[in-house]
Amino acid sequence: MSMYLYENKNIPKRLEAYIQEETKLYKFFEHGFHGVRPKNYCGFLSVNGEDYFIVPKINEENETQNLDSFLYMLMVAYDVKLSHEALAGYDTHKHQFLEVFIRMFADGLLHEFKRGVFKQYVTMQENLKVLRGKYMFERNFQNFYHQNLYCEYDEFSMDNRLNRFFLYAIRQFKKVSSYPNLSRCEQILDEVVYFNVDIKRTNIRFDRMSLRYQKSFEVAEMLLQRLVPLTSRSGKKSFAFLFDMAEVFEKFVGRLYKEINPTAKLQVQKNFGSLQLKPDIVTDSMIVDMKYKLVNSREELLAQDKYQMFAYGVNFDIKDVMLLYPKHQVDVCEDLELGKGDDVVRLKMRSLDLSVDSGFEMYVGEMRKRVEELS
């Protein structure tokens, strides 16, 4: 049986004791006199055989709807495409949504492998009985009496950086999933040497030969960045799979906005002298910035957010700006003017209701409609 936890709400005491000892979880939880509570992170936590869902409080009374809405937001935010069969079977696996993403990765990668494993020319150095490629004079003179020859040559090989990344990802996912397609992919990469990968420094570039693997790479990278192995006292798998909700909210709304207005620009970074600005959404007539905060009225608007939006409006020369929040208890609908004269910036404060009691396609359709109405 899975237990639901909510961001910014106290967690059970038995879980609190574990988190206080597990340093890997410190960044995801707030420790204080009131107890321990999740910060703005949501997702899945498995500890010593007990499963917990940390979900945003989108609907006050419906835990299942909160989980559904959260998963749908993830699918849109990270451009996750599930087949109709996968969506139909989602109800069976929704209490294991990490498994949904792992299966999508494994199925997609296996599909590409069946079309042909990615290979590229890799420079090899070996000690051979016959000359192959370039004769390595310095190495051979250092071992003058050696019967073999040191050679350097190029080989069209599957043992390359991209496949090493995939092999690393597959083995990490097998620690938390027994999905057969993971093993099938691993068997195909039998000529690839296993290396640990620094997920923060993958630095893999795609060209026309490897482009069809980019989606599999992006999904695996997204999962690996958020999958945290934990200490287990029971011998059962313990791990965390958590998302920063500020990032999810920003990406979710950004993608919907882009569908509504293809000319909208996301995450536009510009320098104005020594001032660097990066609003979330820029259109010809409006700048939108998302804030994942609990705000009910203008009295709760931070001064720094006012200055930020004023700077956006003046420097981008777009005088209509909007701060968009997730709806908490009441709808936020405030209009303010910042500055005066020719530099006045018109600021809207709006909230977006993320709650829809429906399946994925209807959810996305309704959310797109709500975002369009705000803009």
Side-chain angles (χ1 to χ4, degrees):
M1 182 69 180
S2 300
M3 179 177 293
Y4 286 85
L5 307 176
Y6 285 97
E7 54 181 343
N8 301 309
K9 298 289 184 182
N10 282 12
I11 64 173
K13 290 295 182 182
R14 66 179 182 278
L15 181 59
E16 184 179 306
Y18 177 87
I19 289 172
Q20 288 173 337
E21 295 178 5
E22 180 56 84
T23 56
K24 291 180 182 178
L25 290 175
Y26 282 6
K27 66 175 283 189
F28 306 111
F29 290 85
E30 177 184 319
H31 303 253
F33 292 111
H34 52 70
V36 177
R37 58 180 61 174
K39 295 180 183 177
N40 288 338
Y41 285 87
C42 293
F44 183 72
L45 188 63
S46 182
V47 174
N48 297 322
E50 294 185 343
D51 295 336
Y52 301 88
F53 289 99
I54 306 174
V55 294
K57 199 156 191 176
I58 295 170
N59 185 295
E60 288 292 324
E61 300 177 353
N62 194 324
E63 293 178 337
T64 302
Q65 188 178 325
N66 285 332
L67 179 59
D68 287 347
S69 298
F70 171 55
L71 180 61
Y72 297 157
M73 287 177 68
L74 291 182
M75 290 169 64
V76 173
Y78 296 97
D79 194 25
V80 174
K81 299 287 196 303
L82 293 180
S83 65
H84 288 291
E85 292 79 6
L87 282 171
Y90 163 63
D91 283 339
T92 306
H93 298 287
K94 68 177 154 188
H95 295 300
Q96 304 165 4
F97 66 86
L98 171 59
E99 182 76 7
V100 172
F101 288 104
I102 289 177
R103 290 185 178 206
M104 185 190 70
F105 160 76
D107 292 346
L109 185 61
L110 185 60
H111 173 75
E112 296 302 334
F113 281 167
K114 288 179 178 179
R115 293 177 58 192
V117 178
F118 174 67
K119 293 183 178 182
Q120 64 183 171
Y121 283 103
V122 178
T123 300
M124 310 284 289
Q125 293 184 356
E126 278 193 272
N127 190 12
L128 304 173
K129 293 187 179 296
V130 295
L131 179 63
R132 182 178 180 185
K134 185 171 68 175
Y135 181 82
M136 301 178 68
F137 284 95
E138 186 176 346
R139 291 288 302 275
N140 282 297
F141 275 111
Q142 289 174 353
N143 299 271
F144 190 75
Y145 296 103
H146 201 283
Q147 293 182 351
N148 292 353
L149 301 174
Y150 285 100
C151 307
E152 182 178 280
Y153 59 94
D154 291 335
E155 181 172 305
F156 198 52
S157 171
M158 71 164 61
D159 188 18
N160 51 61
R161 291 182 62 197
L162 179 59
N163 286 334
R164 287 181 179 182
F165 170 84
F166 284 139
L167 182 59
Y168 172 80
I170 288 165
R171 292 193 180 175
Q172 295 305 306
F173 298 154
K174 285 181 70 175
K175 294 177 181 178
V176 296
S177 171
S178 57
Y179 187 47
N181 279 357
L182 288 172
S183 295
R184 293 187 181 105
C185 289
E186 184 179 25
Q187 290 167 5
I188 292 171
L189 297 176
D190 59 345
E191 297 177 17
V192 177
V193 178
Y194 178 82
F195 280 93
N196 284 322
V197 173
D198 184 350
I199 195 60
K200 295 179 181 178
R201 298 180 179 179
T202 52
N203 196 29
I204 292 175
R205 291 185 173 87
F206 292 86
D207 55 26
R208 63 184 183 84
M209 300 297 292
S210 60
L211 191 60
R212 61 191 176 92
Y213 286 98
Q214 185 169 359
K215 185 61 183 179
S216 295
F217 172 83
E218 290 173 350
V219 172
E221 186 178 47
M222 181 267 287
L223 295 176
L224 289 170
Q225 286 173 345
R226 292 161 180 81
L227 185 60
V228 183
L230 302 174
T231 305
S232 177
R233 298 171 186 158
S234 64
K236 297 181 179 179
K237 297 171 184 175
S238 294
F239 62 91
F241 181 56
L242 301 171
F243 290 80
D244 182 344
M245 284 304 297
E247 179 184 294
V248 173
F249 184 58
E250 175 187 298
K251 287 180 176 290
F252 173 70
V253 176
R255 285 195 179 274
L256 292 178
Y257 226 101
K258 191 74 174 174
E259 291 177 10
I260 296 165
N261 181 0
T263 64
K265 298 176 182 176
L266 308 181
Q267 297 293 307
V268 178
Q269 182 171 301
K270 283 192 176 181
N271 294 321
F272 300 90
S274 58
L275 180 64
Q276 187 179 87
L277 299 176
K278 190 178 179 181
D280 293 332
I281 302 171
V282 178
T283 70
D284 293 336
S285 58
M286 181 174 284
I287 292 176
V288 184
D289 218 50
M290 275 76 77
K291 301 292 183 185
Y292 194 76
K293 301 175 181 178
L294 302 182
V295 173
N296 294 317
S297 69
R298 70 173 66 194
E299 284 71 31
E300 298 175 36
L301 175 61
L302 298 178
Q304 65 191 43
D305 290 341
K306 289 183 187 178
Y307 296 142
Q308 181 185 43
M309 299 309 290
F310 181 72
Y312 286 163
V314 170
N315 287 281
F316 281 87
D317 196 24
I318 299 175
K319 299 303 175 65
D320 289 296
V321 298
M322 178 166 64
L323 281 170
L324 185 60
Y325 304 89
K327 179 182 175 181
H328 179 44
Q329 293 178 331
V330 298
D331 281 312
V332 177
C333 185
E334 302 273 8
D335 296 289
L336 299 83
E337 288 193 348
L338 308 176
K340 61 182 181 179
D342 292 338
D343 285 334
V344 69
V345 173
R346 295 172 290 276
L347 170 63
K348 294 180 180 180
M349 294 176 63
R350 298 291 187 269
S351 60
L352 178 63
D353 185 357
L354 298 169
S355 175
V356 180
D357 186 10
S358 65
F360 174 69
E361 292 182 357
M362 289 183 63
Y363 179 87
V364 175
E366 177 61 28
M367 295 309 304
R368 190 183 295 114
K369 178 181 174 183
R370 293 178 186 178
V371 170
E372 189 169 14
E373 289 171 352
L374 289 171
S375 58

